[in-house]
Amino acid sequence: MGKSSKDKRDLYYRKAKEEGYRARSAYKLLQLNEEFHFLDNEKNLKKVVDLCAAPGSWSQVLSRKMFTEAQDVPTAEKKLIAVDLQPMSPIDNVITLQADITHPKTLAKILDIFGNEKADFVCSDGAPDVTGLHDLDEYFQQQLIMSALQLTTCILKPNGTFVAKIFRGRDIDMLYSQLGYLFDRVVCAKPRSSRGTSLEAFIVCLGYNPPNNWSPKLDINKSIEEFFSSCSMNQLSISDNDQKLPKWKDGERDIAEFMSCGGLQSFDSDATYHYDDEILSNLKDKVSLDPVQSPTNPPYKKALEMKRNGKLTRAV
Amino acid sequence: MAAQLKDLSHYGPSLCVKFIKSNCSKGDVFAAIGPFLHVYNYKTSELIHRVRIFTANKVHGFNVSRDGKYCVFYGSKSLTMCSIDDLFKFQDISSSERMFTEWIMDATFSANGDQVYILTCYNLVLITDLENNILERKNLLNERSILYSGTIKVLSNAKVIVNAGTVLGGILIWDLFNEEKIHNLTGHEGSIFYVTVSDNGKYVASCSDDRSIRLWDFETGEELSIGWGHTARIWNLKFFNNDTQLISVSEDCTCRLWDIVKNDSSVKLIMTNIYETHLIKNVWGVDVNEMDGVAVTSGNDGRIKKIDLKQTTRYGNELQSFNISKLPTADGLPLDIKSDEIFKGFHWFNFGLVAITSYGKVIKLLNTTMKWELVLSDDRFESYSMTNGISDYSSKESSDDVVVFSNNKCDLLMLKFSKDGKTLTGEQYLHVDSISKLCNCMVVKNDGTDFYIALESPNPRDKFVVLKINIATLEIVHRFNFNKPLNFVSSCLEVFGNRLLVGSRFSTIAIFNLLNEEEIPYMIRRINEGDTITSIKCFEQSENGNTLFSVTNRDGYYNFIKVDMTLLQSHPDVKEDNISIHTIIHSNKVIKGFLEGTLCDGTGDYITYDFKSSLFYIYNETNGYEIASQVCGGAHRQWKLTTLGDDSGYMLVYIKASELYLRRIYHNSNELNTLENGIHGREIRDLSILNQNTDHENQYLFVTGSEDTTVKLCKYDTTNGVVTNYWTQRQHVSGLQRVKFINDKLMISCSAREELFLWEINTEFTNKPYMTIRKPLPTLKKHPDLRIMDFDVLLDCNNTDNFISAAVYSDSTIKIWYYNYSRNEYESCIWENRYETCCILNTSFVQIRDRLYLLIAATDGYLTFYDLTSELSFIANDKQGRIQINEINSIESTSKPVFKIRVHKSGIKTLDVNVLDNGTEFQVFTGGDDNAIAMSIFRLKDVDITGEVTSLIENAASSTVTSCQLFENKNKLLTTSVDQRVRVWDITSDNKLVLKHTKYTTIADTGSCDIIKTDKNKQSIILGGVGLSVWEY
């Protein structure tokens, strides 16, 4: 989050700065919770994993909900783990793991930290690099969710909750259908803090309830499709014995229940607010605040520098 | 037969394009567009064949076997193998479509063509036969994490290399058959977007999110060179010319050429050329035809573009240069050029170049010999001179090639040359006494026998002198002494009939009457803010006698100005900016640079030329692509562009650092143009069809508004769905929200920054329609994010070009304006109110009996009604859904909504209204972000509205419903949604919605539609999203 003109436009962005969150996405989780209350019962929130956690705003929310605002359960019994491939600056009460969520070692580490207890809640606000090819982007997002889900099935306790970011594109109903095999209830939730113009939404999967005969097992040499292949949720299974590529058929689809989260009193992320608006009077001060977290290092940092120095120009 | 949804055409991103080497005479370029394959003859640019490959998925890539007999297509999880014969035999081969469980990154044939290798995004390779039987599975142990890119390189039957680009900057190169890692190449930052091995197996080339191209030694894995240049992500790379060159395409709209330069100690990637080939963003695919030196690229804008890689080397004479001190001569003897002598001016003729030096030497260069010769020397033209000419390209025997030199002391020298340029056939010297000093001299040819020389003095009291010269004799036929207008500095010249049009600084034109020199010229002032007019060109005449001129401004604006010549003739007293004499019917700005003029290419496309930084460009404005460019050092130099004699192209002559350059730009359209023009570079947010036949039956005009901030005016054919581009308007500065025709000539578009433009479409000329902003809505707040989300209008029954318009804003503001056409003014904001503090997404007027309501729909999912009846008491409904306006008042309303009902759980994305004939009820149809569509009925009881939702289809779509539109006498509803499904709903008598048809659309991010009735029982539909598709129902 930089210090920019975005300030004026985006109330959630301003609010995040004021309340010390690293990103405005913190409010998405908070608004989901307003509807589902999955972070409100601390007895069911002892072991939590935040996947694809960087820069860490969801971990901040979880940390406040689990530790700052809840006092009944002894701190020692509570564990909050944030996993990401990228490094993350520390957050109070959060154990950060810089690790690959698809690797069995990561699973082992989490189970170790949890003392072999299972998680109550797993979430992922991760998104892959968007290329602009709608089908590819949607596929990669679904694969990211599936790899989060893969780890989740190995650590989530029965009846536990899984929450992840989705993009509501062409094939989202295929994902809903797959999740239906693992959870009692799957809801597509759109928090008011997520822009209406964006395809972004969240799946809230309640009541983890995998098929009886299925035991998930992470294997570094298996793809996600193979991981789920013995579970009936798999769309199409081509086992090692299959000898022919099957004919194309459309996958199983199922439309999840839709829910809007965050009351109508909350800020509308699509609206334009003016300084004299009443709704803004709650925001403390109207001057620009310094960013909470300095911008990250993008892979194209060097190219940017070269462009700034006039080294990347049209003339050869 | 029951009505059916049928798709006729698809325009959208093309991910892969290739030259096909098979001796298939039918076509030689294959391009994947959506789920289709297009086959073109690239020399004629003709579309030979179109075949549907997949049912729903996009074709991401394809390969042809070495013997040219088979091809394999892949995209998403789909794969189809097919013989080339079958490919051409059928229009649809999707019944052969196969699938796998994982995304397919590449699929290619073995060296002998009897097997196919399929690479998935989990680094798995399936080996199959041509009957889809899986023979083997290969992978690299412990390296199964997801790939962002990957290719298979078949070096021989025994040696196949898999190149896998990971998400973390590493590139895994492995041997397919022994499943062993050859290299893990590290150095890139971020995801790898493409990696390939050269044909000789010596190099690996890769690109990543870090915007660099890296060349690696295949044997050692050593990083040999890094290629920087692209300013955004790079998507594709290809080695060519025996692995001595590399071509790359990128998100930065460009295609770049790289030489692989090898010396004793190193190998380097050197960028040698850049081509801007696509609009707005991503170029996805590229291939090269080495033999012809032509590349072809495909992009997100749906364009398939040819690039002449030999733009300056194909014929050998494209670029020639001469140093004045070393001019080659016919007799080998040097011209007596002084050490400080420089070129002062030049003019290109069919036979060659005539130039003048700073010592008054007139020299010529003959095209046939490329040798220079002294013509004459005249010291009156020492140090300061201007050069003009008229070139004769006719086939007649005698030549009309004349060069005119002038100096600031009002001396003129005219020289006429023979057809071959060898002899001087006329010479005339003149001194003009009537002006004190000469600061500008311009020449224009009239008809076969005469030309005009216009002479301007810097003294404002001097006359503007025009000489009519007989070409044959070079004698003065007539001398005009026009009165010079105030604040007038001439810059360009055009003659039309008895009128001389002179462009000036300050975007001003003076039209002089050649029949009456006493007559004060008609002035068109300040066409745009400010800059000098660089060209005026007569374009065409309409049936009713209007003449259309194209006018370019140096600052980048171009305009089409319609002049009623007859009216001008009959009203010699009207002098200034009279709307009935001239009208600007088109105004737009080029993408970049200093606009210098326009050219005709014979196709009717609008061609411009301009300078930007150090480059000179020729640009096809109609279809939005660069035809040619030349690095020349920029606009601040001596330069001149003329046509090449035999209509083969253009000649750019320029001086750079004491060198004179001749740059021939061959107009060999086959190598310069496109196979497919494409549409927008980003999503189409809205579109609207002008429901009125053009001159051609089945052809309609329509406009599109895109996320790329442009508005396009196009035409399409309802029978085959073929789309023709006319204009791309760049007046909006942010992505479009809505575009809509409000009557047969007016259209409104709106976007962020409070932009709401009223456009007028002009269709009186046969060549093409024109469009210009008539009036922007006044803006009040300087809030960059304040978006106008939607609008609705009611036409005034007394004059249907007048209307009231309601606009809804992202800050919950609602405003109603009155627009008067003849005054061209929004007379006032007649009503203003504010809803809540959320973004309003849609609005519609509802007229029922004598009452007028405004319906709004916002992000909160409510339908909300304001009663305007008493507040706008000066507005009365007429029966045809129009209004009658008496006296305009302005009201800042604090009135609350009279009725409000929550219909959707989240934002209402679209609505349509139907007022029933019974005069007491109306229906509202809505589609929401909550995947639902709803039908609600509202009733008027005395003066109150009540109503309820009668039909709510919660899971109408699996994602956001983006548009809905009533059709067939409002008995049916068409909906589009992001799940790429178009649905037709019946509206039953008990007010329910019943799904009638569902059909998949190949347009991703489907966001808009329009539907018109074309026939008694036929509808034509355009769907917009990432691209567009024409359907019929």
Side-chain angles (χ1 to χ4, degrees):
Chain A
M1 290 208 315
K3 177 177 174 175
S4 72
S5 60
K6 247 183 166 178
D7 264 27
K8 289 183 199 146
R9 296 171 46 183
D10 192 329
L11 288 196
Y12 285 103
Y13 178 85
R14 283 191 61 91
K15 205 172 164 184
K17 279 185 176 182
E18 289 190 355
E19 297 182 355
Y21 288 116
R22 293 177 180 182
R24 66 193 292 287
S25 56
Y27 298 100
K28 296 173 189 170
L29 183 59
L30 286 167
Q31 289 180 344
L32 291 173
N33 185 54
E34 278 177 37
E35 206 64 46
F36 295 96
H37 305 287
F38 42 54
L39 306 180
D40 294 344
N41 180 354
E42 64 173 312
K43 292 195 176 62
N44 279 327
L45 205 65
K46 292 183 204 158
K47 304 284 184 291
V48 171
V49 184
D50 180 11
L51 300 171
C52 307
S57 65
W58 279 25
S59 290
Q60 287 179 297
V61 171
L62 293 165
S63 165
R64 290 184 196 186
K65 288 281 180 192
M66 285 171 70
F67 296 93
T68 323
E69 296 170 14
Q71 313 277 313
D72 290 351
V73 178
T75 305
E77 283 182 31
K78 295 186 275 196
K79 290 277 186 288
L80 169 55
I81 304 173
V83 188
D84 204 293
L85 282 170
Q86 306 296 329
M88 244 170 82
S89 30
I91 300 169
D92 285 349
N93 307 312
V94 179
I95 303 157
T96 54
L97 292 182
Q98 191 177 350
D100 177 357
I101 60 169
T102 61
H103 207 285
K105 273 192 206 156
T106 311
L107 169 64
K109 247 186 223 160
I110 294 171
L111 291 175
D112 186 45
I113 294 167
F114 283 168
N116 278 326
E117 274 184 59
K118 293 240 166 170
D120 303 277
F121 182 87
V122 182
C123 60
S124 165
D125 188 29
D129 286 340
V130 170
T131 63
L133 287 171
H134 283 70
D135 53 353
L136 185 69
D137 291 340
E138 192 183 5
Y139 179 82
F140 278 136
Q141 177 63 20
Q142 292 203 7
Q143 292 305 300
L144 190 65
I145 294 166
M146 295 308 273
S147 51
L149 187 64
Q150 177 176 260
L151 182 69
T152 302
T153 57
C154 303
I155 56 175
L156 193 62
K157 72 175 188 195
N159 214 27
T161 304
F162 175 65
V163 174
K165 187 208 291 284
I166 55 170
F167 288 106
R168 291 196 293 153
R170 184 188 74 172
D171 291 334
I172 191 63
D173 42 0
M174 288 165 73
L175 179 73
Y176 295 150
S177 163
Q178 295 178 6
L179 292 166
Y181 285 99
L182 294 170
F183 293 89
D184 292 338
R185 184 175 167 214
V186 178
V187 180
C188 165
K190 177 89 176 177
R192 294 258 291 165
S193 49
S194 171
R195 287 172 197 270
T197 45
S198 149
L199 298 183
E200 179 192 77
F202 295 85
I203 36 156
V204 178
C205 306
L206 304 167
Y208 180 54
N209 183 10
N212 286 333
N213 52 357
W214 183 61
S215 59
K217 195 176 177 316
L218 269 188
D219 178 345
I220 192 166
N221 281 309
K222 291 255 187 282
S223 73
I224 287 166
E225 299 292 339
E226 289 161 346
F227 174 89
F228 287 111
S229 64
S230 51
C231 166
S232 56
M233 68 177 284
N234 195 38
Q235 292 279 323
L236 161 80
S237 77
I238 302 174
S239 74
D240 285 355
N241 307 322
D242 277 333
Q243 288 307 310
K244 195 148 184 152
L245 289 174
K247 275 193 170 284
W248 184 85
K249 64 170 174 24
D250 200 15
E252 198 177 310
R253 293 170 188 271
D254 188 14
I255 304 176
E257 167 190 355
F258 181 92
M259 199 175 271
S260 175
C261 298
L264 291 178
Q265 310 73 36
S266 57
F267 298 142
D268 174 3
S269 55
D270 291 306
T272 307
Y273 293 94
H274 303 285
Y275 283 144
D276 47 1
D277 283 346
E278 203 180 327
I279 196 162
L280 277 187
S281 58
N282 293 332
L283 287 180
K284 282 175 248 160
D285 84 83
K286 284 163 188 169
V287 294
S288 185
L289 301 163
D290 284 328
V292 181
Q293 171 118 11
S294 35
T296 52
N297 275 353
Y300 45 87
K301 195 177 166 196
K302 185 169 180 199
L304 277 182
E305 264 167 35
M306 290 172 80
K307 195 176 177 183
R308 252 180 243 129
N309 299 331
K311 296 221 173 81
L312 307 182
T313 58
R314 166 72 209 260
V316 182
Chain B
M1 202 183 85
Q4 287 261 303
L5 286 164
K6 187 179 166 198
D7 56 324
L8 299 175
S9 67
H10 167 106
Y11 292 90
S14 169
L15 306 186
C16 183
V17 62
K18 278 182 183 177
F19 285 99
I20 299 304
K21 287 195 192 97
S22 78
N23 46 4
C24 155
S25 58
K26 291 165 183 158
D28 37 28
V29 168
F30 281 15
I33 300 182
F36 303 98
L37 179 78
H38 285 199
V39 182
Y40 301 91
N41 176 329
Y42 100 88
K43 290 217 163 105
T44 63
S45 299
E46 193 186 348
L47 175 66
I48 307 280
H49 186 60
R50 178 180 189 254
V51 49
R52 188 179 197 114
I53 305 294
F54 294 143
T55 316
N57 289 330
K58 269 191 262 191
V59 178
H60 278 248
F62 51 84
N63 279 296
V64 176
S65 61
R66 287 186 186 182
D67 59 13
K69 286 187 178 152
Y70 276 88
C71 47
V72 57
F73 298 91
Y74 58 91
S76 187
K77 298 174 185 176
S78 293
L79 178 115
T80 295
M81 298 177 205
C82 167
S83 75
I84 292 280
D85 289 343
D86 281 352
L87 192 71
F88 278 94
K89 206 188 290 174
F90 301 106
Q91 259 90 55
D92 187 343
I93 58 160
S94 60
S95 58
S96 321
E97 182 177 354
R98 301 278 158 164
M99 67 191 295
F100 190 62
T101 51
E102 294 162 13
W103 187 278
I104 298 167
M105 283 285 170
D106 194 10
T108 195
F109 291 92
S110 60
N112 61 13
D114 63 358
Q115 291 180 348
V116 172
Y117 309 125
I118 303 163
L119 172 65
T120 79
C121 69
Y122 284 101
N123 213 358
L124 169 76
V125 176
L126 302 176
I127 303 177
T128 70
D129 63 13
L130 303 186
E131 307 295 317
N132 299 306
N133 293 306
I134 302 168
L135 308 174
E136 264 186 282
R137 286 151 200 267
K138 300 280 187 183
N139 64 275
L140 198 55
L141 198 65
N142 297 334
E143 300 287 1
R144 291 296 304 280
S145 59
I146 198 159
L147 307 178
Y148 243 104
S149 60
T151 58
I152 298 171
K153 184 74 193 178
V154 179
L155 292 172
S156 69
N157 258 339
K159 190 86 179 166
V160 175
I161 309 297
V162 184
N163 314 300
T166 70
V167 285
L168 284 174
I171 300 162
L172 298 163
I173 308 283
W174 56 283
D175 183 297
L176 177 66
F177 297 119
N178 64 25
E179 298 179 282
E180 271 177 20
K181 181 161 36 181
I182 301 170
H183 298 294
N184 181 2
L185 306 174
T186 54
H188 273 299
E189 307 241 4
S191 305
I192 306 295
F193 292 122
Y194 200 79
V195 51
T196 184
V197 168
S198 66
D199 291 336
N200 60 14
K202 275 195 183 145
Y203 303 119
V204 179
S206 59
C207 53
S208 90
D209 205 3
D210 66 10
R211 276 75 163 143
S212 74
I213 298 171
R214 288 173 203 239
L215 189 71
W216 315 79
D217 186 312
F218 182 82
E219 282 305 313
T220 64
E222 183 196 351
E223 184 182 279
L224 297 171
S225 181
I226 305 180
W228 294 102
H230 280 293
T231 54
R233 291 176 289 183
I234 305 156
W235 299 125
N236 211 314
L237 301 166
K238 185 174 169 59
F239 286 99
F240 67 106
N241 272 349
N242 294 318
D243 304 329
T244 59
Q245 282 183 287
L246 195 67
I247 192 163
S248 60
V249 291
S250 155
E251 190 179 16
D252 66 9
C253 307
T254 70
C255 167
R256 294 172 195 239
L257 281 188
W258 308 78
D259 278 351
I260 299 167
V261 180
K262 208 171 148 184
N263 61 31
D264 296 345
S265 58
S266 70
V267 181
K268 288 232 163 333
L269 268 179
I270 312 269
M271 184 160 63
T272 57
N273 220 330
I274 305 174
Y275 305 94
E276 267 182 54
T277 51
H278 291 264
L279 293 173
I280 309 296
K281 261 189 158 185
N282 304 308
V283 191
W284 299 119
V286 62
D287 199 14
V288 176
N289 179 328
E290 293 160 355
M291 195 128 75
D292 293 351
V294 174
V296 55
T297 59
S298 69
N300 214 53
D301 53 4
R303 174 180 296 165
I304 315 288
K305 175 83 176 76
K306 291 190 271 185
I307 304 168
D308 185 359
L309 299 179
K310 296 183 172 172
Q311 216 187 76
T312 55
T313 54
R314 184 170 300 278
Y315 303 99
N317 67 351
E318 283 91 342
L319 188 61
Q320 289 162 312
S321 70
F322 297 95
N323 190 300
I324 192 164
S325 63
K326 288 176 268 193
L327 297 176
T329 56
D331 53 11
L333 298 171
L335 296 169
D336 181 26
I337 300 292
K338 303 222 167 28
S339 64
D340 59 344
E341 196 161 355
I342 57 169
F343 285 109
K344 288 302 284 186
F346 41 76
H347 193 83
W348 178 261
F349 296 98
N350 212 2
F351 63 78
L353 190 80
V354 175
I356 189 165
T357 71
S358 54
Y359 281 86
K361 282 195 202 81
V362 177
I363 53 178
K364 70 180 179 193
L365 169 75
L366 287 186
N367 209 356
T368 45
T369 59
M370 290 315 273
K371 303 286 190 211
W372 291 82
E373 207 176 297
L374 181 72
V375 180
L376 55 82
S377 205
D378 189 330
D379 54 15
R380 282 173 298 206
F381 298 94
E382 270 190 23
S383 75
Y384 181 83
S385 65
M386 287 172 280
T387 308
N388 283 282
I390 53 165
S391 303
D392 178 17
Y393 300 116
S394 70
S395 53
K396 67 176 196 279
E397 231 162 83
S398 67
S399 149
D400 290 342
D401 286 333
V402 179
V403 66
V404 180
F405 298 110
S406 51
N407 64 15
N408 50 5
K409 299 179 193 76
C410 312
D411 296 313
L412 291 178
L413 176 65
M414 290 179 262
L415 301 174
K416 193 172 155 190
F417 292 86
S418 63
K419 195 117 197 164
D420 58 7
K422 285 183 180 159
T423 47
L424 212 52
T425 56
E427 186 174 347
Q428 184 73 258
Y429 167 77
L430 279 174
H431 181 77
V432 183
D433 302 321
S434 54
I435 52 174
S436 54
K437 201 177 173 198
L438 185 63
C439 66
N440 194 15
C441 171
M442 297 176 297
V443 169
V444 68
K445 196 169 171 182
N446 182 18
D447 49 33
T449 56
D450 303 311
F451 68 97
Y452 293 94
I453 304 178
L455 302 164
E456 189 188 358
S457 155
N459 185 343
R461 284 181 299 274
D462 278 354
K463 298 281 183 187
F464 186 71
V465 176
V466 176
L467 307 174
K468 186 178 185 182
I469 309 283
N470 180 292
I471 300 180
T473 62
L474 301 184
E475 296 287 343
I476 299 176
V477 181
H478 194 90
R479 186 189 295 255
F480 304 88
N481 289 306
F482 291 115
N483 290 313
K484 200 169 135 179
L486 283 173
N487 294 322
F488 192 82
V489 182
S490 66
S491 56
C492 61
L493 195 63
E494 168 79 326
V495 64
F496 179 80
N498 293 315
R499 297 284 169 172
L500 196 70
L501 295 89
V502 185
S504 156
R505 278 194 204 162
F506 316 116
S507 197
T508 294
I509 295 174
I511 306 179
F512 295 95
N513 188 351
L514 291 167
L515 298 176
N516 179 4
E517 67 178 335
E518 294 301 313
E519 191 180 305
I520 297 169
Y522 179 78
M523 301 298 294
I524 304 172
R525 289 191 189 271
R526 296 268 174 182
I527 298 165
N528 305 105
E529 282 307 313
D531 215 339
T532 303
I533 290 185
T534 47
S535 80
I536 303 172
K537 204 172 227 173
C538 174
F539 245 64
E540 58 173 316
Q541 283 175 279
S542 73
E543 283 172 9
N544 50 18
N546 287 326
T547 309
L548 189 63
F549 294 95
S550 143
V551 176
T552 58
N553 276 3
R554 181 151 294 136
D555 61 5
Y557 277 94
Y558 63 90
N559 303 279
F560 283 87
I561 302 177
K562 173 178 94 169
V563 182
D564 186 333
M565 287 294 180
T566 329
L567 202 61
L568 184 61
Q569 200 70 30
S570 57
H571 291 80
D573 48 319
V574 178
K575 288 303 139 222
E576 205 120 321
D577 291 359
N578 187 302
I579 202 83
S580 58
I581 290 183
H582 86 270
T583 317
I584 299 167
I585 62 167
H586 192 94
S587 185
N588 198 5
K589 196 177 191 302
V590 296
I591 292 177
K592 57 190 171 190
F594 298 104
L595 180 55
E596 297 291 346
T598 66
L599 301 162
C600 291
D601 75 338
T603 65
D605 287 355
Y606 192 62
I607 313 291
T608 60
Y609 54 94
D610 53 5
F611 286 95
K612 198 200 170 208
S613 60
S614 64
L615 284 109
F616 174 83
Y617 292 93
I618 298 183
Y619 195 80
N620 182 321
E621 174 66 15
T622 304
N623 286 307
Y625 61 82
E626 185 181 313
I627 294 171
S629 67
Q630 177 63 36
V631 180
C632 67
H636 303 286
R637 64 197 55 257
Q638 286 252 40
W639 66 276
K640 204 175 262 182
L641 184 77
T642 42
T643 46
L644 282 172
D646 46 3
D647 206 22
S648 60
Y650 313 106
M651 170 61 93
L652 174 70
V653 187
Y654 63 94
I655 309 261
K656 187 183 169 194
S658 83
E659 295 267 324
L660 180 133
Y661 289 83
L662 301 178
R663 166 74 160 95
R664 283 179 176 78
I665 298 161
Y666 287 105
H667 179 72
N668 184 343
S669 55
N670 293 336
E671 264 119 45
L672 303 175
N673 69 10
T674 54
L675 296 175
E676 203 70 61
N677 281 320
I679 305 282
H680 284 281
R682 294 186 64 189
E683 295 85 347
I684 293 173
R685 285 293 174 227
D686 201 10
L687 56 89
S688 180
I689 306 172
L690 182 58
N691 198 351
Q692 173 186 280
N693 248 314
T694 59
D695 293 340
H696 304 276
E697 207 185 340
N698 306 322
Q699 298 197 339
Y700 292 81
L701 294 178
F702 69 99
V703 289
T704 53
S706 164
E707 192 68 23
D708 70 11
T709 77
T710 66
V711 172
K712 273 183 198 276
L713 177 63
C714 312
K715 177 184 76 178
Y716 83 108
D717 189 309
T718 55
T719 56
N720 58 17
V722 171
V723 172
T724 310
N725 288 327
Y726 284 122
W727 299 110
T728 303
Q729 284 283 0
R730 308 183 185 93
Q731 313 280 0
H732 280 279
V733 298
S734 60
L736 270 289
Q737 296 286 353
R738 290 275 196 273
V739 293
K740 194 156 87 189
F741 280 104
I742 62 168
N743 64 17
D744 59 2
K745 67 176 181 194
L746 297 176
M747 188 271 286
I748 294 178
S749 62
C750 67
S751 74
R753 289 180 183 265
E754 275 186 89
E755 288 175 340
L756 184 142
F757 298 149
L758 174 68
W759 301 81
E760 182 159 13
I761 312 293
N762 180 304
T763 51
E764 70 176 283
F765 294 93
T766 47
N767 189 350
K768 46 171 72 93
Y770 298 89
M771 69 190 294
T772 192
I773 293 183
R774 216 178 137 75
K775 195 74 190 172
L777 190 70
T779 60
L780 299 167
K781 300 189 171 108
K782 294 279 168 263
H783 199 309
D785 185 47
L786 186 54
R787 286 157 284 147
I788 298 183
M789 303 302 294
D790 191 23
F791 54 86
D792 194 23
V793 299
L794 286 175
L795 303 179
D796 187 337
C797 64
N798 295 318
N799 178 349
T800 55
D801 290 334
N802 298 344
F803 56 85
I804 61 166
S805 141
V808 288
Y809 293 70
S810 57
D811 66 350
S812 252
T813 303
I814 311 162
K815 286 178 188 172
I816 301 177
W817 305 78
Y818 178 70
Y819 175 78
N820 182 299
Y821 182 82
S822 55
R823 282 201 287 278
N824 190 22
E825 267 174 10
Y826 284 99
E827 300 210 329
S828 58
C829 174
I830 58 177
W831 192 81
E832 182 173 351
N833 205 331
R834 195 156 176 209
Y835 177 57
E836 303 271 341
T837 46
C838 61
C839 177
I840 308 175
L841 298 172
N842 287 284
T843 189
S844 175
F845 284 111
V846 179
Q847 290 177 296
I848 184 154
R849 287 212 303 265
D850 57 346
R851 304 203 69 79
L852 178 61
Y853 296 93
L854 187 71
L855 165 62
I856 61 159
T859 49
D860 59 6
Y862 281 90
L863 286 178
T864 305
F865 293 92
Y866 289 90
D867 189 347
L868 301 176
T869 319
S870 55
E871 299 214 324
L872 301 181
S873 56
F874 50 90
I875 292 176
N877 292 342
D878 88 341
K879 293 262 170 341
Q880 278 85 44
R882 295 177 304 199
I883 48 161
Q884 193 160 3
I885 296 174
N886 300 314
E887 182 198 352
I888 304 282
N889 294 314
S890 189
I891 290 152
E892 185 138 349
S893 175
T894 51
S895 69
K896 294 287 166 213
V898 290
F899 191 70
K900 207 173 161 177
I901 179 171
R902 190 161 195 191
V903 180
H904 290 272
K905 291 179 187 164
S906 186
I908 297 177
K909 292 287 188 176
T910 175
L911 66 81
D912 204 353
V913 176
N914 178 27
V915 179
L916 298 179
D917 293 335
N918 62 23
T920 56
E921 283 180 319
F922 59 95
Q923 306 163 328
V924 177
F925 302 86
T926 48
D929 190 34
D930 58 358
N931 309 339
I933 65 164
M935 173 177 180
S936 311
I937 295 273
F938 298 92
R939 261 166 246 99
L940 186 64
K941 266 202 183 134
D942 302 324
V943 295
D944 296 325
I945 284 189
T946 58
E948 71 275 331
V949 178
T950 57
S951 184
L952 177 71
I953 317 283
E954 281 201 308
N955 293 334
S958 58
S959 50
T960 307
V961 178
T962 50
S963 73
C964 75
Q965 196 153 339
L966 289 163
F967 67 104
E968 257 190 46
N969 300 322
K970 308 204 169 187
N971 285 319
K972 283 190 162 68
L973 187 74
L974 182 82
T975 61
T976 64
S977 38
V978 179
D979 59 7
Q980 288 182 236
R981 274 157 186 89
V982 178
R983 295 175 173 89
V984 174
W985 307 79
D986 269 347
I987 300 155
T988 64
S989 53
D990 58 342
N991 297 318
K992 299 282 178 214
L993 289 165
V994 176
L995 184 62
K996 190 89 181 164
H997 302 285
T998 304
K999 189 173 160 67
Y1000 177 82
T1001 168
T1002 51
I1003 303 298
D1005 209 352
T1006 329
S1008 51
C1009 70
D1010 200 4
I1011 178 164
I1012 54 163
K1013 200 176 186 73
T1014 53
D1015 194 308
K1016 203 167 71 192
N1017 38 30
K1018 208 178 246 180
Q1019 271 75 216
S1020 174
I1021 303 167
I1022 307 183
L1023 301 166
V1026 184
L1028 71 81
S1029 184
V1030 177
W1031 287 23
E1032 65 179 24
Y1033 177 74

